[in-house]
């Protein structure tokens, strides 16, 4: 089923060269954070390049429910009049975060140290995902949470009236958990410390500093130690959201595997904590050039020139790299199916608790398309082949990245590849269909 309606079956067919400019939307992680930090600031925050995907729209609606004024001024340009740290009002209705794990987990953190009560829910995918990873550390501040069996949504959270600061070592490499703890730490007195044994995306730390919080980061033997001084006065900022490297991954990987392609993807974030796919593609022999490297909105960005790369080689991706490419394994599996030899992806078990169990979703779909795979809990192996047979209908499982991955594979398979529901693509990449069509890709909705 589509996230918000009837399923939208789609089919991709063998395509001629992809050419032109692919202007992918704004970064999803940064878009959520800009709205939430804007709501926790005093004064106006102005955001340009905001991703207007459903996940982020749900976060915007949630920030209104907590008392902020959130206004769409024009395409991608939004303003937020914040209520300040500790200023969230109690929502008078259930907060529906739709498909978004990032949305719900960050918002739970942002309200956890204010003495208000809020109930959260989501779609069928989000309501299966574990929330204990966030509510466990929030309990250390004094926050209470009651949800369904296994710490699942719907869940009611009661913020701590007298929060105490927390020192927390992340048991899983998760930027959502790190961010929830840091956002909760904003309204606790003293220093809140998060230690991450493996580095995860650092947008929250960067943006907190930009809004005026004191945040220090130290690399130690234990890992990255992030220290936030509580109860700062955050002030509204201007945030220019760079384009999303996780969305760029789809046209980039399509251009790498479709013969004759040559595309440009301008203004993509090259934040090192998000860069694992691009490092891996270069190692596989992909023809990608990073032009005009610069800094925009506090993030390194570049224009990517990507050409068809006929000599792709399979390889092994180390577990230390997994966090920096965690959302890109589905599309990397597609490139791996088109490379020479096998690709072994290590440290991937977090994929099992994403919008779907992404290892299982890719494994079953690739097998249906005639690709050989091997699956362990934490390792996924894909055997490359000269030409992928295709000719299957794959399941997207309410997961945007699974849907887009199989549609990209269909551009090079012998027989077309369908997905049962392309609806979830709108959560992160609402312009996917026109953008891919503009490059020359043959992806279309099935006739009813
Ligand atoms: C995100 C963190 C990652 C990622 C998600 C976005 C974020 O999730 O998969 O798409 O914006 O913090 P985890 O924190 O579960 O690894």
């Amino acid at each position: 089923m589509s996230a918000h309606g009837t399923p939208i079956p789609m089919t991709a067919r063998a395509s001629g060269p992809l050419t032109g400019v692919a202007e992918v939307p704004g970064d999803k992680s940064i878009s959520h954070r800009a709205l939430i930090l804007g709501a926790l600031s005093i004064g106006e925050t102005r955001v340009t390049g905001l991703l207007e995907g459903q996940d982020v729209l749900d976060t915007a609606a949630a920030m209104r429910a907590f008392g902020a004024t959130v206004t769409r001024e024009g395409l991608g340009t939004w303003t937020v009049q914040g209520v300040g740290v500790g200023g969230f009002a109690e929502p008078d209705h259930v907060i529906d975060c739709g498909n978004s794990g990032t949305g719900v987990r960050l918002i739970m953190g942002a309200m956890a140290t204010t003495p208000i009560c809020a109930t959260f829910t989501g779609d069928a995918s989000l309501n299966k995902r574990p929330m204990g990873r966030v509510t466990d550390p929030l309990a250390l501040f004094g926050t209470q949470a009651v949800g369904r069996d296994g710490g699942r949504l719907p869940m009611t959270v009661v913020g701590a009236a007298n929060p105490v600061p927390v020192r927390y070592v992340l048991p899983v490499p998760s930027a959502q958990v790190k961010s929830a703890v840091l956002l909760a730490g904003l309204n606790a007195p003293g220093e809140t410390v998060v230690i991450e044994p493996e580095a995860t995306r650092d947008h929250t730390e960067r943006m907190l500093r930009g809004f005026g919080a004191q945040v220090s980061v130290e690399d130690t033997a234990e890992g990255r130690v992030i220290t936030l001084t509580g109860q700062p006065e955050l002030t509204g900022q201007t945030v220019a959201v760079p384009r999303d490297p996780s969305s760029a991954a789809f046209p980039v990987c399509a251009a790498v595997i479709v013969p004759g392609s040559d595309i440009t993807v301008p203004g993509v974030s090259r934040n090192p904590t998000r860069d694992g796919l691009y490092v891996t593609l270069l190692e596989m022999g992909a023809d990608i050039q990073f032009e005009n490297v610069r800094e925009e909105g506090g993030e390194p960005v570049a224009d990517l020139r990507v050409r068809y790369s006929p000599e792709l080689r399979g390889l092994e991706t180390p577990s230390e790299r997994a966090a920096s490419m965690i959302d890109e394994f589905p599309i990397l599996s597609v490139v791996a199916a088109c490379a020479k030899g096998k690709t072994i992806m290590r440290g991937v078990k977090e994929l099992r608790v994403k919008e779907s169990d992404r290892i299982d979703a890719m494994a079953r779909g690739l097998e249906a398309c005639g690709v050989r795979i091997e699956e362990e809990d934490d390792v996924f192996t894909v055997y490359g082949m000269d030409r992928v047979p295709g000719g299957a209908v794959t399941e997207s499982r309410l997961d945007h990245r699974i849907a887009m991955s199989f549609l990209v594979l269909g551009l090079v398979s012998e027989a077309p590849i369908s997905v049962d529901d392309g609806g979830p693509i709108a959560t992160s990449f609402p312009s996917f269909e026109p953008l891919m069509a503009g490059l020359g890709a043959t992806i279309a909705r099935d006739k009813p």
Side-chain angles (χ1 to χ4, degrees):
M1 279 287 290
S2 179
H4 295 277
T6 44
I8 303 173
M10 295 173 67
T11 298
R13 298 184 157 73
S15 174
L18 305 182
T19 54
V21 179
E23 294 194 333
V24 303
D27 189 87
K28 181 150 72 75
S29 295
I30 296 175
S31 295
H32 283 294
R33 287 159 171 79
L35 294 176
I36 295 169
L37 285 182
L40 290 171
S41 297
I42 298 293
E44 179 174 289
T45 288
R46 190 174 183 79
V47 189
T48 57
L50 187 90
L51 165 64
E52 293 182 351
Q54 192 57 47
D55 279 11
V56 176
L57 299 180
D58 288 336
T59 289
M63 291 303 98
R64 289 190 187 110
F66 282 101
T69 304
V70 183
T71 311
R72 182 179 192 263
E73 307 282 351
L75 182 64
T77 301
W78 291 58
T79 54
V80 184
Q81 306 288 341
V83 292
V85 169
F88 270 7
E90 189 165 78
D92 60 11
H93 59 265
V94 171
I95 304 296
D96 188 346
C97 289
N99 193 247
S100 182
T102 305
V104 72
R105 291 179 175 136
L106 267 57
I107 296 167
M108 280 181 179
M111 62 138 301
T113 46
T114 301
I116 55 173
C117 170
T119 300
F120 296 89
T121 191
D123 69 5
S125 156
L126 187 58
N127 286 2
K128 280 189 213 146
R129 299 178 66 184
M131 295 299 139
R133 55 177 52 200
V134 171
T135 53
D136 286 352
L138 295 183
L140 304 174
F141 289 97
T143 309
Q144 292 170 288
V146 183
R148 287 191 306 135
D149 186 36
R152 293 182 158 74
L153 301 179
M155 178 173 271
T156 295
V157 180
V158 182
N162 296 300
V164 290
V166 157
R167 179 182 173 86
Y168 191 66
V169 182
L170 287 186
V172 283
S174 165
Q176 293 174 0
V177 178
K178 167 176 68 177
S179 302
V181 175
L182 290 173
L183 292 174
L186 280 175
N187 201 34
E191 291 189 336
T192 286
V193 181
V194 184
I195 299 155
E196 49 177 7
E198 283 175 52
T200 66
R201 65 192 68 194
D202 62 356
H203 308 300
T204 302
E205 300 92 297
R206 285 176 188 252
M207 213 183 275
L208 275 169
R209 278 203 205 100
F211 276 78
Q214 205 180 313
V215 181
S216 70
V217 179
E218 212 187 330
D219 284 313
T220 71
E222 254 187 309
R224 278 180 89 233
V225 179
I226 304 148
T227 306
L228 167 81
T229 305
Q231 299 178 325
E233 182 154 311
L234 303 182
T235 40
Q237 298 295 318
T238 298
V239 181
V241 181
R243 297 182 195 274
D244 196 325
S246 300
S247 296
F250 296 98
V252 164
C253 289
V256 163
I257 60 176
V258 174
S261 298
D262 184 349
I263 68 166
T264 302
V265 192
V268 179
S269 166
R270 289 225 63 207
N271 181 314
T273 61
R274 299 284 298 280
D275 216 21
L277 172 76
Y278 297 91
V279 172
T280 303
L281 288 173
L282 291 175
E283 286 176 5
M284 292 176 88
D287 184 350
I288 305 178
Q289 278 157 16
F290 300 92
E291 297 171 349
N292 199 9
V293 180
R294 58 202 182 271
E295 186 153 318
E296 275 176 17
E299 297 268 337
V301 301
D303 302 331
L304 276 50
R305 175 90 185 264
V306 189
R307 296 182 179 89
Y308 170 55
S309 312
E311 300 296 331
L312 293 171
R313 298 172 299 276
L315 44 57
E316 207 169 310
T317 62
S319 15
E320 312 83 76
R321 195 183 291 167
S324 69
M325 56 189 296
I326 196 66
D327 291 332
E328 284 68 76
F329 284 105
I331 190 63
L332 175 63
S333 310
V334 164
V335 176
C338 305
K340 286 197 176 51
K342 65 178 172 183
T343 296
I344 305 172
M345 296 164 247
R346 296 194 182 278
V348 294
K349 69 171 182 283
E350 270 295 299
L351 295 186
R352 297 197 181 274
V353 289
K354 296 293 176 187
E355 286 83 331
S356 67
D357 175 340
R358 285 183 171 160
I359 298 182
D360 190 64
M362 288 311 295
R364 303 293 81 77
L366 285 171
E367 281 175 339
C369 292
V371 179
R372 187 176 151 214
I373 58 97
E374 276 165 23
E375 182 191 352
E376 292 165 49
D377 185 42
D378 200 27
V379 186
F380 186 45
T381 303
V382 176
Y383 289 80
M385 58 204 308
D386 283 342
R387 190 88 199 266
V388 172
V393 180
T394 59
E395 285 179 12
S396 62
R397 303 191 186 181
L398 280 181
D399 191 325
H400 51 134
R401 301 201 198 279
I402 300 298
M404 290 186 277
S405 296
F406 284 115
L407 290 171
V408 168
L409 185 59
L411 300 177
V412 294
S413 56
E414 276 166 1
I417 294 177
S418 301
V419 294
D420 62 347
D421 184 10
I425 294 171
T427 61
S428 70
F429 199 159
S431 57
F432 177 76
E433 289 170 72
L435 181 144
M436 294 302 288
L439 299 176
T442 41
I443 297 175
R445 295 182 180 207
D446 296 352
K447 297 252 161 21

